[in-house]
Amino acid sequence: MFFNYQSLSAVTKEQLVTELKRFLYPYRYSDMFHRFARPVPEISMITNTVMDHIFLSHGHRISQWNFDILSPPMLQEYADVIHAKGAPLSNCIGFIDGTVRPISRPGQHQRIVYNGRKRVHLLKFQSVALPNGLIGNMYGPVEGQKHDASMLIDSNLLQELERNAFSPTGQPMSIYGDPAYPLRVHLQAPFRHGVLTPMMEQYNFDMSSVRVTVEWLFGDIINDFKFLDFKKNLKIRMSSVGKMYLVCALLNNAITCLYGNKTSEFFGIDPPSLQYYFR
């Protein structure tokens, strides 16, 4: 359904459906017994094996610089549609933001994953959203105490941008983030220091109007894979919580390739085909 089966030759259709059923809703393995007619230990083994296979075979498509969707001509196309939608920046190719996933309170080392501002135990991820509705890059998980700026440094995303984020004519391209991020050639942020002029405030407003799309993509992942929203079942050291989110983000990209989403409709640019994305 979601993949070219040649790229998942080690995974049968039944195994992939079992994986999707697991993430679709906070099902227990015992709830899936009657549908798949397999014992609980076997269902658990199947879902974990398929998740590992997807992560190892395709995780690089969002964890590394993906030249298939981040080539210079495509970056120029992203910048053009974002600018046409009202963004003052003419070289903005996407939007960066951090998201959090609340988890069950761990038994040990709970301070590491506790976020004092949100007052909850959580894992954090950093994502770059593209105007075609795809998650172009994702880094994580990191502990809940991490600041977005610190997560940016650990991800080495700036170095990747400095090496690869250029238009076909050699113009530096940038991503846009919130005030938590530093200002760089390839990373832009709102005006936030001193007294803002009306033009500065208008710039911030116009960029905020298009940047909201990154929040839509975070919402798409949770809406499509509601298992991730059931924090009582997200227990670190008992399951691969971080890997689950990364795999679901990748599966969400697959859904976007098939059907598009609100972000791609907003900017008027189609995502690539499923065969192209997973080639």
Side-chain angles (χ1 to χ4, degrees):
M1 177 180 179
F2 290 111
F3 292 100
N4 177 347
Y5 286 120
Q6 292 180 351
S7 67
L8 281 176
S9 56
V11 177
T12 68
K13 184 176 181 180
E14 179 191 5
Q15 291 168 340
L16 185 56
V17 170
T18 303
E19 184 76 7
L20 295 173
K21 179 71 172 179
R22 170 67 167 166
F23 289 145
L24 178 66
Y25 198 74
Y27 291 107
R28 297 170 297 180
Y29 288 123
S30 58
D31 298 330
M32 301 167 63
F33 167 78
H34 297 288
R35 177 175 291 273
F36 296 102
R38 292 180 181 271
V40 168
E42 190 171 338
I43 295 175
S44 174
M45 189 183 308
I46 289 172
T47 56
N48 287 327
T49 300
V50 173
M51 180 175 64
D52 289 342
H53 177 76
I54 293 174
F55 180 77
L56 293 174
S57 301
H58 301 284
H60 64 278
R61 302 183 191 279
I62 58 174
S63 63
Q64 301 175 18
W65 189 269
N66 189 342
F67 287 96
D68 288 336
I69 60 173
L70 296 173
S71 63
M74 299 190 78
L75 296 183
Q76 185 63 62
E77 185 177 8
Y78 299 155
D80 291 342
V81 298
I82 291 175
H83 185 57
K85 203 61 181 178
L89 287 175
S90 61
N91 67 336
C92 177
I93 61 172
F95 309 96
I96 183 173
D97 199 7
T99 186
V100 300
R101 289 313 321 141
I103 60 174
S104 178
R105 178 176 175 173
Q108 296 180 348
H109 309 293
Q110 57 178 298
R111 288 184 176 272
I112 297 177
V113 294
Y114 183 75
N115 185 288
R117 185 170 69 88
K118 295 184 178 293
R119 297 183 180 181
V120 67
H121 298 86
L122 52 83
L123 297 177
K124 300 187 73 173
F125 297 83
Q126 172 187 279
S127 296
V128 175
L130 302 177
N132 61 2
L134 294 180
I135 297 172
N137 183 269
M138 179 171 282
Y139 174 75
V142 300
E143 58 270 26
Q145 291 183 344
K146 280 278 188 177
H147 189 271
D148 285 355
S150 177
M151 191 161 48
L152 173 68
I153 295 173
D154 294 342
S155 69
N156 292 321
L157 179 61
L158 277 179
Q159 288 85 340
E160 291 287 353
L161 290 166
E162 291 169 356
R163 283 193 295 265
N164 303 305
F166 294 92
S167 71
T169 59
Q171 177 191 10
M173 310 302 274
S174 67
I175 55 178
Y176 186 83
D178 61 29
Y181 293 101
L183 188 64
R184 299 290 186 271
V185 172
H186 295 278
L187 176 59
Q188 298 296 304
F191 290 102
R192 56 187 183 271
H193 297 303
V195 179
L196 302 186
T197 66
M199 291 186 63
M200 291 177 178
E201 291 179 347
Q202 186 63 44
Y203 171 90
N204 287 352
F205 177 81
D206 291 340
M207 290 304 301
S208 177
S209 298
V210 291
R211 183 185 170 275
V212 69
T213 55
V214 70
E215 301 292 344
W216 297 348
L217 290 188
F218 293 149
D220 288 342
I221 297 175
I222 301 303
N223 288 333
D224 289 334
F225 303 102
K226 296 187 183 300
F227 182 88
L228 298 174
D229 206 27
F230 187 58
K231 74 174 188 176
K232 290 184 178 180
N233 211 31
L234 301 179
K235 302 176 181 179
I236 58 175
R237 296 202 176 114
M238 294 188 66
S239 58
S240 303
V241 179
K243 187 185 296 184
M244 287 179 187
Y245 189 83
L246 293 171
V247 168
C248 286
L250 187 62
L251 293 173
N252 187 73
N253 274 0
I255 295 174
T256 300
C257 289
L258 287 172
Y259 308 110
N261 58 20
K262 187 177 179 180
T263 300
S264 61
E265 293 175 1
F266 177 80
F267 287 107
I269 176 173
D270 293 329
S273 67
L274 192 66
Q275 291 73 20
Y276 179 87
Y277 185 73
F278 287 101
R279 64 179 181 173

